[in-house]
Amino acid sequence: MSAGQIAALIAAGAFVVLVGLLGIVLFKAGRTLDEATIAIRKAHENTDPLLIGANETITHVNTQLERVDGITANAQAVSGNVSALSSVFTATLGGPLVKTAALSYGISKAIKARRKRAEAKAARPARKRGRK
């Protein structure tokens, strides 16, 4: 055997080892792809119940939102009625109530001032009027 043939045998052996290692890598990659395919298939099988449940939930939420819309419309009508009632109350009773409040305030001020003058008069010592 010549040196070239020995080199060819070594190269052929290295090539066989390289092909063997690549075979192992490809085999493991194939198993990984098989597992990924199984996982995707299981996920696809489990999505149908999830999507059905999500659809039912959305339908239920839409029903509740319609009810809330009705409640808000009623609350808006009630607040409009209360606003109209308060403006009617202000227009009919507001003026006389303000006048009555002002009158009672004025009367109470006058009574307090009169009491204060009476107390001041009672507290002053009496002076004698006469000649010196």
Side-chain angles (χ1 to χ4, degrees), residues 1 15 20 40 50 55 84 86 89 91 105 111 113 121 126 128 130:
M1 270 194 157
F15 184 72
I40 290 171
L50 288 174
N55 193 18
S86 71
F89 177 76
Y105 178 73
I111 290 172
K121 195 175 185 182
K128 292 185 183 179

Side-chain angles (χ1 to χ4, degrees), residues 4-70:
Q5 290 176 340
I6 293 176
L9 273 174
I10 292 174
F15 184 72
V16 168
V17 170
L18 179 67
V19 169
L21 290 175
L22 285 176
I24 292 173
V25 169
L26 285 175
F27 177 73
K28 289 190 177 201
R31 283 184 30 192
T32 304
L33 285 175
D34 289 342
E35 291 296 324
T37 305
I38 291 171
I40 290 171
R41 186 175 299 127
K42 285 182 180 179
H44 176 67
E45 290 171 357
N46 291 333
T47 24
D48 287 340
L50 288 174
L51 292 176
I52 290 171
N55 193 18
E56 290 173 358
T57 303
I58 289 172
T59 304
H60 182 68
V61 166
N62 284 338
T63 304
Q64 295 301 320
L65 284 176
E66 288 173 5
R67 288 181 183 170
V68 168
D69 284 342

Side-chain angles (χ1 to χ4, degrees), residues 103-122:
L103 177 67
S104 66
Y105 178 73
I107 290 172
S108 69
K109 280 284 256 193
I111 290 172
K112 284 180 186 177
R114 192 167 195 181
R115 282 184 188 161
K116 196 173 190 180
R117 269 188 267 135
E119 288 174 1
K121 195 175 185 182

